[in-house]
Amino acid sequence: MIGRYSRDGYMVLPRLSDDAQLQALRAIYDRLFRERGSTEAGDYYDITGRPGDDSEPTLPQIIRPEKYEPRLLRTAHFQICRAVAGRLIDHAAEQLDFFGHMILKPAGYGAETPWHQDEAYMDPSWENRGLSIWTPLDDASIDSGCLHFVPGSHRGDVVPHYHIGGDRAVRGLATDEVDTTRAVACPIPPGAATVHDCRTLHYAGPNRTAHARRAYVLMFKLPSRRVAAPQPREWLAL
Ligand code: NI
């Protein structure tokens, strides 16, 4: 599995969490989205929206939910994910940097997550070697917004990105530099997970089902190191 992961840049993991654990994660998840008003500025936003726009968010996200609910770090789910990350990154698990995020695709109108590489969001002055473990708390089907990957895309560079809709006020990034004919969809049940390298091109469709698609993502990275000659990422410049 490790060999396949390093070849493809993504993998599917069998179910990591039992029903009780999933229920506990769902309860925390729902509470954090209900209380979004109390999250500090910047930790809750609509990936596809503009700041200050008060229309109903179509792709709301909470960054670093463990700040608001430290119990997330004491779950078996976290321990398993960190151990998997340590094996795949080939580094002592407890030395990895990490943060979580929760991405909600509301029933019926959750927006698509356009093709992107997670590393496109990161400051190029720092080397980023890492991965995300993406766990849906609901069935993740092609119709509800499971992830799609381009195998092997993690071995290339970070490709040019732009802000969704060409609007720099929108936080979400997208790229057209992707051969979608090579994409592989990864539908998985709640509590299973997909893992992807921070450079793997990925996408999730809109949610066309009658149930929400809640996803809890843990990103693990090697401690950052300065890059001698960083490649500029114009889309990040202010
Ligand atoms: Ni992503």
Side-chain angles (χ1 to χ4, degrees):
M1 284 173 93
I2 291 173
R4 204 159 355 127
Y5 174 77
S6 51
R7 186 192 68 199
D8 294 339
Y10 75 94
M11 72 193 298
V12 177
L13 289 173
R15 204 166 157 186
L16 304 178
S17 301
D18 62 17
D19 286 343
Q21 176 86 150
L22 262 181
Q23 271 313 106
L25 289 173
R26 287 179 184 126
I28 292 171
Y29 193 103
D30 291 346
R31 182 174 66 73
L32 291 179
F33 274 96
R34 256 197 326 271
E35 294 173 0
R36 65 199 192 189
S38 67
T39 58
E40 286 163 31
D43 286 339
Y44 170 87
Y45 61 88
D46 185 3
I47 299 171
T48 56
R50 314 181 88 233
D53 179 353
D54 49 13
S55 59
E56 197 57 34
T58 57
L59 200 53
Q61 163 161 287
I62 292 172
I63 306 284
R64 298 185 188 278
E66 59 276 1
K67 259 167 59 180
Y68 306 101
E69 185 47 274
R71 278 184 306 166
L72 285 167
L73 304 183
R74 295 196 292 272
T75 58
H77 180 263
F78 177 79
Q79 300 298 333
I80 293 168
C81 288
R82 189 162 68 163
V84 167
R87 287 295 298 279
L88 292 176
I89 298 175
D90 195 19
H91 193 83
E94 58 286 353
Q95 289 171 9
L96 295 173
D97 293 337
F98 65 87
F99 71 95
H101 53 137
M102 294 174 160
I103 309 177
L104 175 63
K105 278 194 203 285
Y109 66 88
E112 73 166 8
T113 314
W115 284 101
H116 68 280
Q117 293 162 299
D118 294 336
E119 196 176 342
Y121 284 90
M122 300 174 194
D123 180 350
S125 335
W126 298 93
E127 182 184 275
N128 284 293
R129 255 197 71 211
L131 52 78
S132 289
I133 303 181
W134 187 93
T135 307
L137 306 184
D138 304 290
D139 197 38
S141 63
I142 289 175
D143 282 346
S144 73
C146 70
L147 289 188
H148 302 234
F149 303 101
V150 176
S153 51
H154 63 306
R155 281 177 274 154
D157 289 330
V158 174
V159 297
H161 282 65
Y162 54 86
H163 293 260
I164 293 172
D167 182 346
R168 295 185 78 89
V170 175
R171 295 272 286 270
L173 295 174
T175 184
D176 298 328
E177 309 271 322
V178 49
D179 178 2
T180 55
T181 63
R182 297 184 52 236
V184 179
C186 290
I188 50 172
T194 56
V195 188
H196 62 272
D197 185 271
C198 63
R199 214 169 257 206
T200 304
L201 282 159
H202 58 287
Y203 162 87
N207 185 358
R208 299 195 176 91
T209 69
H211 67 81
R213 194 236 56 192
R214 294 168 284 189
Y216 178 34
V217 191
L218 282 164
M219 176 174 273
F220 295 92
K221 293 196 309 178
L222 282 180
S224 295
R225 282 209 316 241
R226 273 270 177 205
V227 172
Q231 288 286 318
R233 291 180 189 148
E234 312 75 60
W235 57 92
L236 294 180
L238 293 174

mmCIF file of all heavy atoms in Angstrom, residues 10-15 134-149 183-195 203-206 209 211 213:
data_model
loop_
_atom_site.group_PDB
_atom_site.id
_atom_site.type_symbol
_atom_site.label_atom_id
_atom_site.label_comp_id
_atom_site.label_asym_id
_atom_site.label_seq_id
_atom_site.Cartn_x
_atom_site.Cartn_y
_atom_site.Cartn_z
ATOM 1 N N TYR A 10 -2.074 9.092 -3.907
ATOM 2 C CA TYR A 10 -3.304 9.018 -3.107
ATOM 3 C C TYR A 10 -3.589 7.555 -2.788
ATOM 4 O O TYR A 10 -3.012 6.652 -3.412
ATOM 5 C CB TYR A 10 -4.503 9.627 -3.859
ATOM 6 C CG TYR A 10 -5.041 8.743 -4.959
ATOM 7 C CD1 TYR A 10 -6.101 7.858 -4.718
ATOM 8 C CD2 TYR A 10 -4.468 8.756 -6.230
ATOM 9 C CE1 TYR A 10 -6.574 7.019 -5.710
ATOM 10 C CE2 TYR A 10 -4.933 7.918 -7.229
ATOM 11 C CZ TYR A 10 -5.987 7.056 -6.965
ATOM 12 O OH TYR A 10 -6.456 6.223 -7.954
ATOM 13 N N MET A 11 -4.427 7.312 -1.828
ATOM 14 C CA MET A 11 -4.858 5.948 -1.540
ATOM 15 C C MET A 11 -6.184 5.976 -0.793
ATOM 16 O O MET A 11 -6.571 7.002 -0.219
ATOM 17 C CB MET A 11 -3.805 5.202 -0.707
ATOM 18 C CG MET A 11 -3.717 5.672 0.717
ATOM 19 S SD MET A 11 -2.249 5.057 1.590
ATOM 20 C CE MET A 11 -2.531 3.308 1.553
ATOM 21 N N VAL A 12 -6.863 4.844 -0.821
ATOM 22 C CA VAL A 12 -8.104 4.697 -0.062
ATOM 23 C C VAL A 12 -7.798 3.830 1.146
ATOM 24 O O VAL A 12 -7.159 2.782 1.016
ATOM 25 C CB VAL A 12 -9.201 4.031 -0.924
ATOM 26 C CG1 VAL A 12 -10.465 3.807 -0.097
ATOM 27 C CG2 VAL A 12 -9.500 4.882 -2.155
ATOM 28 N N LEU A 13 -8.235 4.277 2.310
ATOM 29 C CA LEU A 13 -8.049 3.476 3.529
ATOM 30 C C LEU A 13 -9.382 2.869 3.930
ATOM 31 O O LEU A 13 -10.425 3.510 3.787
ATOM 32 C CB LEU A 13 -7.564 4.361 4.682
ATOM 33 C CG LEU A 13 -6.139 4.894 4.602
ATOM 34 C CD1 LEU A 13 -5.898 5.874 5.739
ATOM 35 C CD2 LEU A 13 -5.129 3.750 4.665
ATOM 36 N N PRO A 14 -9.361 1.658 4.433
ATOM 37 C CA PRO A 14 -10.611 1.076 4.925
ATOM 38 C C PRO A 14 -11.097 1.857 6.141
ATOM 39 O O PRO A 14 -10.418 2.748 6.634
ATOM 40 C CB PRO A 14 -10.205 -0.343 5.314
ATOM 41 C CG PRO A 14 -8.737 -0.281 5.537
ATOM 42 C CD PRO A 14 -8.210 0.804 4.642
ATOM 43 N N ARG A 15 -12.259 1.476 6.612
ATOM 44 C CA ARG A 15 -12.878 2.215 7.705
ATOM 45 C C ARG A 15 -11.942 2.321 8.903
ATOM 46 O O ARG A 15 -11.436 1.310 9.397
ATOM 47 C CB ARG A 15 -14.161 1.488 8.087
ATOM 48 C CG ARG A 15 -15.096 2.419 8.730
ATOM 49 C CD ARG A 15 -16.468 1.863 8.823
ATOM 50 N NE ARG A 15 -17.073 2.589 9.921
ATOM 51 C CZ ARG A 15 -18.248 2.327 10.421
ATOM 52 N NH1 ARG A 15 -18.957 1.350 9.926
ATOM 53 N NH2 ARG A 15 -18.698 3.037 11.409
ATOM 54 N N TRP A 134 -8.554 12.398 4.564
ATOM 55 C CA TRP A 134 -9.889 12.969 4.355
ATOM 56 C C TRP A 134 -10.927 11.915 4.760
ATOM 57 O O TRP A 134 -11.022 10.868 4.111
ATOM 58 C CB TRP A 134 -10.003 13.327 2.884
ATOM 59 C CG TRP A 134 -11.200 14.071 2.414
ATOM 60 C CD1 TRP A 134 -11.332 15.421 2.284
ATOM 61 C CD2 TRP A 134 -12.443 13.518 1.931
ATOM 62 N NE1 TRP A 134 -12.566 15.734 1.766
ATOM 63 C CE2 TRP A 134 -13.260 14.591 1.549
ATOM 64 C CE3 TRP A 134 -12.931 12.198 1.807
ATOM 65 C CZ2 TRP A 134 -14.541 14.414 1.036
ATOM 66 C CZ3 TRP A 134 -14.215 12.020 1.301
ATOM 67 C CH2 TRP A 134 -15.003 13.116 0.928
ATOM 68 N N THR A 135 -11.637 12.178 5.843
ATOM 69 C CA THR A 135 -12.599 11.208 6.368
ATOM 70 C C THR A 135 -14.011 11.765 6.257
ATOM 71 O O THR A 135 -14.334 12.763 6.913
ATOM 72 C CB THR A 135 -12.318 10.928 7.865
ATOM 73 O OG1 THR A 135 -10.951 10.562 8.025
ATOM 74 C CG2 THR A 135 -13.210 9.812 8.397
ATOM 75 N N PRO A 136 -14.870 11.168 5.435
ATOM 76 C CA PRO A 136 -16.257 11.629 5.417
ATOM 77 C C PRO A 136 -17.028 11.063 6.611
ATOM 78 O O PRO A 136 -16.785 9.928 7.026
ATOM 79 C CB PRO A 136 -16.803 11.062 4.100
ATOM 80 C CG PRO A 136 -15.993 9.823 3.859
ATOM 81 C CD PRO A 136 -14.640 10.050 4.498
ATOM 82 N N LEU A 137 -17.912 11.879 7.161
ATOM 83 C CA LEU A 137 -18.754 11.405 8.269
ATOM 84 C C LEU A 137 -20.120 10.961 7.735
ATOM 85 O O LEU A 137 -20.975 10.526 8.498
ATOM 86 C CB LEU A 137 -18.915 12.514 9.315
ATOM 87 C CG LEU A 137 -17.600 13.113 9.845
ATOM 88 C CD1 LEU A 137 -17.889 14.142 10.942
ATOM 89 C CD2 LEU A 137 -16.657 12.027 10.372
ATOM 90 N N ASP A 138 -20.314 11.144 6.425
ATOM 91 C CA ASP A 138 -21.509 10.676 5.717
ATOM 92 C C ASP A 138 -21.019 9.925 4.485
ATOM 93 O O ASP A 138 -19.858 10.053 4.098
ATOM 94 C CB ASP A 138 -22.363 11.868 5.249
ATOM 95 C CG ASP A 138 -22.748 12.777 6.394
ATOM 96 O OD1 ASP A 138 -23.568 12.346 7.225
ATOM 97 O OD2 ASP A 138 -22.210 13.892 6.484
ATOM 98 N N ASP A 139 -21.952 9.211 3.862
ATOM 99 C CA ASP A 139 -21.580 8.499 2.652
ATOM 100 C C ASP A 139 -21.012 9.498 1.630
ATOM 101 O O ASP A 139 -21.649 10.509 1.344
ATOM 102 C CB ASP A 139 -22.846 7.825 2.105
ATOM 103 C CG ASP A 139 -22.495 6.742 1.118
ATOM 104 O OD1 ASP A 139 -21.489 6.043 1.345
ATOM 105 O OD2 ASP A 139 -23.220 6.610 0.118
ATOM 106 N N ALA A 140 -19.810 9.221 1.129
ATOM 107 C CA ALA A 140 -19.220 10.099 0.106
ATOM 108 C C ALA A 140 -19.308 9.377 -1.222
ATOM 109 O O ALA A 140 -18.526 8.464 -1.505
ATOM 110 C CB ALA A 140 -17.780 10.442 0.449
ATOM 111 N N SER A 141 -20.293 9.761 -2.025
ATOM 112 C CA SER A 141 -20.525 9.130 -3.321
ATOM 113 C C SER A 141 -20.178 10.151 -4.406
ATOM 114 O O SER A 141 -19.906 11.319 -4.101
ATOM 115 C CB SER A 141 -21.992 8.717 -3.443
ATOM 116 O OG SER A 141 -22.804 9.884 -3.400
ATOM 117 N N ILE A 142 -20.241 9.714 -5.642
ATOM 118 C CA ILE A 142 -19.987 10.665 -6.727
ATOM 119 C C ILE A 142 -21.032 11.779 -6.671
ATOM 120 O O ILE A 142 -20.725 12.948 -6.874
ATOM 121 C CB ILE A 142 -19.985 9.920 -8.083
ATOM 122 C CG1 ILE A 142 -18.706 9.067 -8.152
ATOM 123 C CG2 ILE A 142 -20.066 10.894 -9.257
ATOM 124 C CD1 ILE A 142 -18.575 8.182 -9.352
ATOM 125 N N ASP A 143 -22.278 11.446 -6.298
ATOM 126 C CA ASP A 143 -23.344 12.456 -6.247
ATOM 127 C C ASP A 143 -23.271 13.369 -5.033
ATOM 128 O O ASP A 143 -23.836 14.460 -5.050
ATOM 129 C CB ASP A 143 -24.718 11.765 -6.256
ATOM 130 C CG ASP A 143 -25.095 11.319 -7.650
ATOM 131 O OD1 ASP A 143 -24.445 11.770 -8.614
ATOM 132 O OD2 ASP A 143 -26.035 10.503 -7.763
ATOM 133 N N SER A 144 -22.605 12.904 -3.949
ATOM 134 C CA SER A 144 -22.573 13.765 -2.756
ATOM 135 C C SER A 144 -21.257 14.523 -2.632
ATOM 136 O O SER A 144 -21.107 15.369 -1.753
ATOM 137 C CB SER A 144 -22.847 12.948 -1.480
ATOM 138 O OG SER A 144 -21.739 12.145 -1.136
ATOM 139 N N GLY A 145 -20.284 14.237 -3.499
ATOM 140 C CA GLY A 145 -19.035 15.006 -3.449
ATOM 141 C C GLY A 145 -17.862 14.246 -2.871
ATOM 142 O O GLY A 145 -17.128 14.780 -2.031
ATOM 143 N N CYS A 146 -17.646 12.997 -3.334
ATOM 144 C CA CYS A 146 -16.420 12.292 -2.941
ATOM 145 C C CYS A 146 -15.234 12.915 -3.669
ATOM 146 O O CYS A 146 -15.415 13.718 -4.590
ATOM 147 C CB CYS A 146 -16.516 10.802 -3.285
ATOM 148 S SG CYS A 146 -16.481 10.452 -5.063
ATOM 149 N N LEU A 147 -14.026 12.559 -3.262
ATOM 150 C CA LEU A 147 -12.841 13.112 -3.910
ATOM 151 C C LEU A 147 -12.508 12.344 -5.195
ATOM 152 O O LEU A 147 -12.804 11.158 -5.327
ATOM 153 C CB LEU A 147 -11.638 13.063 -2.966
ATOM 154 C CG LEU A 147 -11.678 14.038 -1.782
ATOM 155 C CD1 LEU A 147 -10.343 14.025 -1.037
ATOM 156 C CD2 LEU A 147 -12.019 15.449 -2.201
ATOM 157 N N HIS A 148 -11.911 13.075 -6.128
ATOM 158 C CA HIS A 148 -11.360 12.519 -7.371
ATOM 159 C C HIS A 148 -9.886 12.926 -7.405
ATOM 160 O O HIS A 148 -9.561 14.047 -7.009
ATOM 161 C CB HIS A 148 -12.030 13.129 -8.608
ATOM 162 C CG HIS A 148 -13.513 12.965 -8.670
ATOM 163 N ND1 HIS A 148 -14.161 12.418 -9.747
ATOM 164 C CD2 HIS A 148 -14.496 13.299 -7.783
ATOM 165 C CE1 HIS A 148 -15.469 12.414 -9.543
ATOM 166 N NE2 HIS A 148 -15.698 12.948 -8.352
ATOM 167 N N PHE A 149 -9.031 12.047 -7.919
ATOM 168 C CA PHE A 149 -7.595 12.329 -7.953
ATOM 169 C C PHE A 149 -7.037 12.058 -9.343
ATOM 170 O O PHE A 149 -7.549 11.195 -10.057
ATOM 171 C CB PHE A 149 -6.842 11.421 -6.974
ATOM 172 C CG PHE A 149 -7.317 11.528 -5.551
ATOM 173 C CD1 PHE A 149 -8.171 10.555 -5.012
ATOM 174 C CD2 PHE A 149 -6.919 12.591 -4.752
ATOM 175 C CE1 PHE A 149 -8.609 10.653 -3.703
ATOM 176 C CE2 PHE A 149 -7.356 12.686 -3.438
ATOM 177 C CZ PHE A 149 -8.199 11.714 -2.914
ATOM 178 N N ALA A 183 -8.623 11.209 -14.333
ATOM 179 C CA ALA A 183 -9.058 11.293 -12.936
ATOM 180 C C ALA A 183 -9.733 10.002 -12.469
ATOM 181 O O ALA A 183 -10.402 9.315 -13.251
ATOM 182 C CB ALA A 183 -10.020 12.460 -12.781
ATOM 183 N N VAL A 184 -9.536 9.698 -11.192
ATOM 184 C CA VAL A 184 -10.150 8.512 -10.581
ATOM 185 C C VAL A 184 -11.030 8.982 -9.424
ATOM 186 O O VAL A 184 -10.563 9.678 -8.518
ATOM 187 C CB VAL A 184 -9.061 7.565 -10.037
ATOM 188 C CG1 VAL A 184 -9.700 6.351 -9.379
ATOM 189 C CG2 VAL A 184 -8.113 7.132 -11.147
ATOM 190 N N ALA A 185 -12.313 8.620 -9.467
ATOM 191 C CA ALA A 185 -13.229 8.969 -8.373
ATOM 192 C C ALA A 185 -13.090 7.942 -7.258
ATOM 193 O O ALA A 185 -12.894 6.752 -7.528
ATOM 194 C CB ALA A 185 -14.664 8.991 -8.888
ATOM 195 N N CYS A 186 -13.184 8.392 -6.014
ATOM 196 C CA CYS A 186 -13.025 7.488 -4.873
ATOM 197 C C CYS A 186 -14.213 7.566 -3.920
ATOM 198 O O CYS A 186 -14.113 8.165 -2.836
ATOM 199 C CB CYS A 186 -11.743 7.827 -4.117
ATOM 200 S SG CYS A 186 -10.253 7.416 -5.032
ATOM 201 N N PRO A 187 -15.349 6.969 -4.303
ATOM 202 C CA PRO A 187 -16.485 6.936 -3.375
ATOM 203 C C PRO A 187 -16.153 6.056 -2.176
ATOM 204 O O PRO A 187 -15.591 4.967 -2.356
ATOM 205 C CB PRO A 187 -17.621 6.335 -4.216
ATOM 206 C CG PRO A 187 -16.960 5.650 -5.372
ATOM 207 C CD PRO A 187 -15.615 6.283 -5.575
ATOM 208 N N ILE A 188 -16.468 6.517 -0.971
ATOM 209 C CA ILE A 188 -16.167 5.736 0.243
ATOM 210 C C ILE A 188 -17.285 5.925 1.271
ATOM 211 O O ILE A 188 -17.962 6.947 1.273
ATOM 212 C CB ILE A 188 -14.801 6.116 0.884
ATOM 213 C CG1 ILE A 188 -14.667 7.623 1.080
ATOM 214 C CG2 ILE A 188 -13.639 5.585 0.067
ATOM 215 C CD1 ILE A 188 -13.421 8.026 1.879
ATOM 216 N N PRO A 189 -17.450 4.929 2.133
ATOM 217 C CA PRO A 189 -18.486 5.041 3.168
ATOM 218 C C PRO A 189 -18.007 5.923 4.322
ATOM 219 O O PRO A 189 -16.812 6.199 4.448
ATOM 220 C CB PRO A 189 -18.661 3.595 3.639
ATOM 221 C CG PRO A 189 -17.336 2.948 3.376
ATOM 222 C CD PRO A 189 -16.765 3.635 2.161
ATOM 223 N N PRO A 190 -18.936 6.344 5.191
ATOM 224 C CA PRO A 190 -18.543 7.140 6.347
ATOM 225 C C PRO A 190 -17.517 6.397 7.197
ATOM 226 O O PRO A 190 -17.636 5.181 7.392
ATOM 227 C CB PRO A 190 -19.850 7.356 7.121
ATOM 228 C CG PRO A 190 -20.875 6.493 6.478
ATOM 229 C CD PRO A 190 -20.373 6.097 5.132
ATOM 230 N N GLY A 191 -16.508 7.118 7.659
ATOM 231 C CA GLY A 191 -15.509 6.504 8.533
ATOM 232 C C GLY A 191 -14.336 5.886 7.803
ATOM 233 O O GLY A 191 -13.296 5.643 8.398
ATOM 234 N N ALA A 192 -14.478 5.620 6.491
ATOM 235 C CA ALA A 192 -13.308 5.250 5.687
ATOM 236 C C ALA A 192 -12.584 6.558 5.362
ATOM 237 O O ALA A 192 -13.008 7.634 5.786
ATOM 238 C CB ALA A 192 -13.734 4.516 4.423
ATOM 239 N N ALA A 193 -11.484 6.480 4.626
ATOM 240 C CA ALA A 193 -10.742 7.717 4.363
ATOM 241 C C ALA A 193 -9.987 7.609 3.054
ATOM 242 O O ALA A 193 -9.681 6.510 2.596
ATOM 243 C CB ALA A 193 -9.762 8.010 5.495
ATOM 244 N N THR A 194 -9.696 8.746 2.466
ATOM 245 C CA THR A 194 -8.716 8.797 1.387
ATOM 246 C C THR A 194 -7.547 9.643 1.887
ATOM 247 O O THR A 194 -7.712 10.526 2.724
ATOM 248 C CB THR A 194 -9.285 9.398 0.081
ATOM 249 O OG1 THR A 194 -9.815 10.681 0.354
ATOM 250 C CG2 THR A 194 -10.357 8.524 -0.513
ATOM 251 N N VAL A 195 -6.368 9.325 1.387
ATOM 252 C CA VAL A 195 -5.157 10.065 1.737
ATOM 253 C C VAL A 195 -4.621 10.647 0.441
ATOM 254 O O VAL A 195 -4.615 9.953 -0.577
ATOM 255 C CB VAL A 195 -4.076 9.132 2.324
ATOM 256 C CG1 VAL A 195 -2.901 9.943 2.857
ATOM 257 C CG2 VAL A 195 -4.654 8.243 3.408
ATOM 258 N N TYR A 203 -10.276 16.970 -6.687
ATOM 259 C CA TYR A 203 -11.541 17.652 -7.004
ATOM 260 C C TYR A 203 -12.636 16.949 -6.221
ATOM 261 O O TYR A 203 -12.516 15.762 -5.906
ATOM 262 C CB TYR A 203 -11.796 17.494 -8.514
ATOM 263 C CG TYR A 203 -13.210 17.755 -8.970
ATOM 264 C CD1 TYR A 203 -13.617 19.042 -9.294
ATOM 265 C CD2 TYR A 203 -14.147 16.724 -9.083
ATOM 266 C CE1 TYR A 203 -14.922 19.298 -9.717
ATOM 267 C CE2 TYR A 203 -15.451 16.968 -9.509
ATOM 268 C CZ TYR A 203 -15.825 18.264 -9.832
ATOM 269 O OH TYR A 203 -17.105 18.508 -10.239
ATOM 270 N N ALA A 204 -13.699 17.668 -5.880
ATOM 271 C CA ALA A 204 -14.906 17.026 -5.356
ATOM 272 C C ALA A 204 -16.109 17.694 -6.009
ATOM 273 O O ALA A 204 -16.162 18.936 -6.108
ATOM 274 C CB ALA A 204 -14.989 17.160 -3.835
ATOM 275 N N GLY A 205 -17.046 16.903 -6.456
ATOM 276 C CA GLY A 205 -18.224 17.441 -7.148
ATOM 277 C C GLY A 205 -19.192 18.106 -6.195
ATOM 278 O O GLY A 205 -19.012 18.073 -4.969
ATOM 279 N N PRO A 206 -20.231 18.731 -6.727
ATOM 280 C CA PRO A 206 -21.268 19.324 -5.873
ATOM 281 C C PRO A 206 -22.068 18.224 -5.171
ATOM 282 O O PRO A 206 -21.991 17.058 -5.565
ATOM 283 C CB PRO A 206 -22.142 20.089 -6.867
ATOM 284 C CG PRO A 206 -21.916 19.400 -8.191
ATOM 285 C CD PRO A 206 -20.514 18.855 -8.160
ATOM 286 N N THR A 209 -27.282 15.262 -3.391
ATOM 287 C CA THR A 209 -28.114 14.341 -2.627
ATOM 288 C C THR A 209 -28.920 15.100 -1.564
ATOM 289 O O THR A 209 -28.734 16.295 -1.358
ATOM 290 C CB THR A 209 -27.254 13.282 -1.914
ATOM 291 O OG1 THR A 209 -26.506 13.920 -0.869
ATOM 292 C CG2 THR A 209 -26.295 12.590 -2.876
ATOM 293 N N HIS A 211 -28.718 14.480 1.592
ATOM 294 C CA HIS A 211 -28.025 14.520 2.891
ATOM 295 C C HIS A 211 -26.748 15.339 2.796
ATOM 296 O O HIS A 211 -26.135 15.433 1.719
ATOM 297 C CB HIS A 211 -27.737 13.101 3.417
ATOM 298 C CG HIS A 211 -26.741 12.331 2.605
ATOM 299 N ND1 HIS A 211 -25.378 12.503 2.726
ATOM 300 C CD2 HIS A 211 -26.903 11.402 1.634
ATOM 301 C CE1 HIS A 211 -24.754 11.703 1.881
ATOM 302 N NE2 HIS A 211 -25.658 11.026 1.197
ATOM 303 N N ARG A 213 -22.872 16.351 3.191
ATOM 304 C CA ARG A 213 -21.628 15.571 3.113
ATOM 305 C C ARG A 213 -20.611 16.277 3.989
ATOM 306 O O ARG A 213 -20.044 17.280 3.621
ATOM 307 C CB ARG A 213 -21.140 15.459 1.672
ATOM 308 C CG ARG A 213 -20.052 14.392 1.479
ATOM 309 C CD ARG A 213 -18.788 14.938 0.849
ATOM 310 N NE ARG A 213 -18.211 16.058 1.597
ATOM 311 C CZ ARG A 213 -17.258 16.843 1.130
ATOM 312 N NH1 ARG A 213 -16.815 16.682 -0.076
ATOM 313 N NH2 ARG A 213 -16.753 17.834 1.866
#
